[in-house]
Amino acid sequence: MRNIFVIIAVVLLALAVGIEAASSATQTLGITQEVVGIAIPVLVAVDGALLLRFGLTAFGSIVSGAVQGKIDGAITLITGIVLVLVGIMAALGALGLLGLMLGLLLAVPFGTAIYLGMFGGFAHLAASSLLSFTMLLKAGAMVSFVLWNLHVLRSKSTVLLALTCLLMTGLVSLLHGIVPGILVSITDAIAAIIVGIVSVIWGVVLALVGIPGTLRAIKSFVPT
């Protein structure tokens, strides 16, 4: 009966990740005219890593420890490497965009006019609503995960990653709200850089955590 909680946790978190990813896809494809920025899609990196941790933990409850150990190490290592690459690309892309926006904004009057035309129409209300909704989904997922098994609180990496997801979502929301509307695109880029850097840090941590398990899995397949 308690397994329903882990199903709810995975579904809620997957929904949050899907919404964040969709915010990027709809802008890229021109499906919507509302610009909700680049920081929200970058959140997919850390949130996706947490979703994978939830999935691996749940999977470990239905298979033997030996099987789970082999899979966990390799997937954690791969996740870490992907996080590093995604985080670097996101941070560099956001940094380049930030430089462009600042350059235009300070190039009075024509550059400023171009900035306002290209980046001044940030859909702050839409972004705020999206962030609030995904925050609720993430919080609900984490509560459900703990209700499924209190022992998950013993995993420091999972707990810290969950807290990081909430903190990064809150940070993006904060940076969207502390400046006038025409400047939100700039603070959004700053938020994307921060989330990208945090993704790199977590990627390194997960890669280091996954190496021992991956090596043990490799040794188990090598005849002695």
Side-chain angles (χ1 to χ4, degrees):
M1 182 65 180
R2 286 172 59 187
N3 287 339
I4 188 64
F5 287 112
V6 73
I7 296 174
I8 293 173
V10 171
V11 169
L12 289 178
L13 191 52
L15 183 58
V17 172
I19 291 173
E20 290 167 348
S23 72
S24 174
T26 53
Q27 292 178 86
T28 301
L29 296 174
I31 297 174
T32 176
Q33 296 300 313
E34 293 186 313
V35 179
V36 295
I38 60 174
I40 293 176
V42 177
L43 287 171
V44 172
V46 286
D47 293 341
L50 180 62
L51 177 60
L52 189 60
R53 290 306 309 165
F54 277 15
L56 286 174
T57 303
F59 181 71
S61 68
I62 60 175
V63 299
S64 67
V67 173
Q68 198 269 344
K70 294 176 182 179
I71 297 175
D72 197 330
I75 294 181
T76 300
L77 175 59
I78 294 171
T79 302
I81 294 172
V82 171
L83 266 183
V84 169
L85 296 176
V86 171
I88 290 174
M89 290 189 293
L92 290 178
L95 183 62
L97 183 60
L98 176 62
L100 172 63
M101 289 189 291
L102 290 175
L104 289 172
L105 181 64
L106 298 175
V108 182
F110 300 111
T112 304
I114 294 173
Y115 167 84
L116 292 174
M118 294 180 63
F119 305 107
F122 193 95
H124 181 242
L125 181 60
S128 177
S129 299
L130 193 153
L131 286 167
S132 297
F133 184 52
T134 55
M135 177 72 90
L136 286 174
L137 290 174
K138 294 171 193 178
M142 293 169 194
V143 171
S144 297
F145 199 61
V146 173
L147 290 176
W148 168 61
N149 191 341
L150 288 174
H151 290 164
V152 300
L153 295 175
R154 296 178 181 176
S155 175
K156 294 180 180 179
S157 61
T158 301
V159 172
L160 289 175
L161 183 55
L163 292 176
T164 299
C165 290
L166 294 178
L167 179 62
M168 289 299 99
T169 305
L171 176 67
V172 174
S173 181
L174 174 65
L175 289 176
H176 282 180
I178 61 175
V179 295
I182 60 173
L183 299 178
V184 177
S185 291
I186 291 176
T187 55
D188 176 71
I190 294 173
I193 293 171
I194 295 173
V195 176
I197 292 172
V198 170
S199 297
V200 172
I201 294 172
W202 264 109
V204 172
V205 171
L206 292 177
L208 292 175
V209 170
I211 288 175
T214 303
L215 292 177
R216 287 194 296 269
I218 293 174
K219 288 181 180 179
S220 68
F221 290 107
V222 176
T224 57

